[in-house]
Amino acid sequence: MYREKFDLTGSTAFITGGGRGMGLATAEALAEHGAQIIISDLDPHVLESGRQELFQKGYKAESVVLDVTKPADVTRVADDVNQRFGPVNILVANAGIALAAAPGEEMSDEVWLKVIDVNLNGVFWSCRAFGKHMLKHGGGAIVTIGSMSGLISNKPQEQPQYNASKAGVHHLTRSLAGEWAARGVRVNSVAPGYIDTLMSRGGFTNPDYFPVWMEYTPMKRVGQPDEIAAVVLFLASPASSYLTGSVIVADGGYCIW
């Protein structure tokens, strides 16, 4: 009975930022449990590398180059994918960036707008475009990728743009969950801590950052992409059928302090 709750056979999943890191690990987890996979990324080389990695592990994946900051493109891709591959009933809105840390009084307009555009606007455009199809077909599961930075203000780095964007993702998740629950679409979020991805690795070698990060992480280690993918799998599958509007924190305990 319980094994069946994680069976995604017959499902179609679309993952933004799926060429590497947590997105690629999520694609593998969903594929392993039977889902048809479509990954997207802004960089075609990263996208093809990710697709080939999945292929080498025995999983077939379609791929689509996509800039999530362009709402018309997101809508066009959602319409096309639903027409070509059948109803997409799982969306993982994973695409995100961090950019350089800077204190609020020195934050440039360009950095602020770029991070908000990818991390928050891009998640909304994706949810809106794919959510319309899910609502039309009577159901689906959306998983957004937030961050523990949407719950706390990280230190010692100063990153108000990133923190604000991820807090927005969490509240957007709750808002859409409330709107769409009665129509069969669940919307949940994962809030990772420090994960071993390309985006975070610069901080791992920073002597001002990493010791502090580990001091405040009870498990005294960074997380791995597959550990986040496992949470996404749960939220995307029937195993979480009574969850919507939830933000699941996977941070090695960082936020308990």
Side-chain angles (χ1 to χ4, degrees):
M1 172 183 173
Y2 290 102
R3 181 175 298 178
E4 294 174 358
K5 289 182 178 293
F6 290 92
D7 185 3
L8 299 178
T9 303
S11 297
T12 300
F14 189 93
I15 300 133
T16 68
R20 63 188 176 199
M22 294 186 296
L24 184 59
T26 293
E28 181 179 347
L30 299 182
E32 183 178 311
H33 285 76
Q36 177 181 211
I37 301 298
I38 305 141
I39 57 174
S40 74
D41 211 290
L42 179 62
D43 186 328
H45 300 293
V46 169
L47 186 62
E48 179 59 18
S49 175
R51 191 185 71 81
Q52 287 296 329
E53 184 174 332
L54 290 171
F55 179 76
Q56 290 167 9
K57 292 180 177 180
Y59 305 117
K60 179 182 177 182
E62 303 292 338
S63 59
V64 181
V65 175
L66 177 62
D67 182 347
V68 297
T69 69
K70 297 180 177 179
D73 288 356
V74 178
T75 297
R76 173 184 55 77
V77 166
D79 292 346
D80 180 63
V81 165
N82 273 272
Q83 183 175 26
R84 289 171 58 199
F85 303 107
V88 174
N89 53 353
I90 297 171
L91 168 67
V92 183
N94 166 74
I97 59 173
L99 300 186
E105 74 274 16
E106 298 176 11
M107 179 64 56
S108 70
D109 296 350
E110 180 183 9
V111 169
W112 176 271
L113 292 171
K114 181 64 175 177
V115 171
I116 295 295
D117 207 15
V118 176
N119 291 4
L120 180 55
N121 294 344
V123 169
F124 177 66
W125 307 141
S126 300
C127 291
R128 183 180 67 178
F130 284 90
K132 282 182 179 180
H133 288 277
M134 292 180 184
L135 292 166
K136 177 181 177 181
H137 291 102
I142 295 174
V143 184
T144 65
I145 304 300
S147 173
M148 71 175 185
S149 303
L151 302 168
I152 51 92
S153 180
N154 304 64
K155 63 180 187 178
Q157 74 272 31
E158 296 162 316
Q159 52 179 37
Q161 78 287 12
Y162 186 80
N163 299 347
S165 72
K166 292 302 187 177
V169 168
H170 295 169
H171 211 53
L172 171 63
T173 298
R174 297 183 186 101
S175 298
L176 295 179
E179 290 184 29
W180 295 347
R183 299 162 70 185
V185 176
R186 298 185 299 108
V187 191
N188 293 290
S189 190
V190 183
Y194 294 112
I195 307 300
D196 186 13
T197 64
L198 185 62
M199 190 171 77
S200 299
R201 284 173 191 156
F204 298 165
T205 58
N206 188 318
D208 295 324
Y209 289 0
F210 193 67
V212 178
W213 294 355
M214 290 300 97
E215 178 185 357
Y216 284 93
T217 303
M219 287 188 174
K220 303 303 180 187
R221 67 175 179 87
V222 299
Q224 296 300 314
D226 65 290
E227 294 180 295
I228 303 304
V231 182
V232 177
L233 171 63
F234 168 64
L235 292 175
S237 73
S240 62
S241 57
Y242 199 51
L243 272 71
T244 198
S246 294
V247 178
I248 296 184
V249 182
D251 66 349
Y254 192 104
C255 290
I256 68 173
W257 301 122

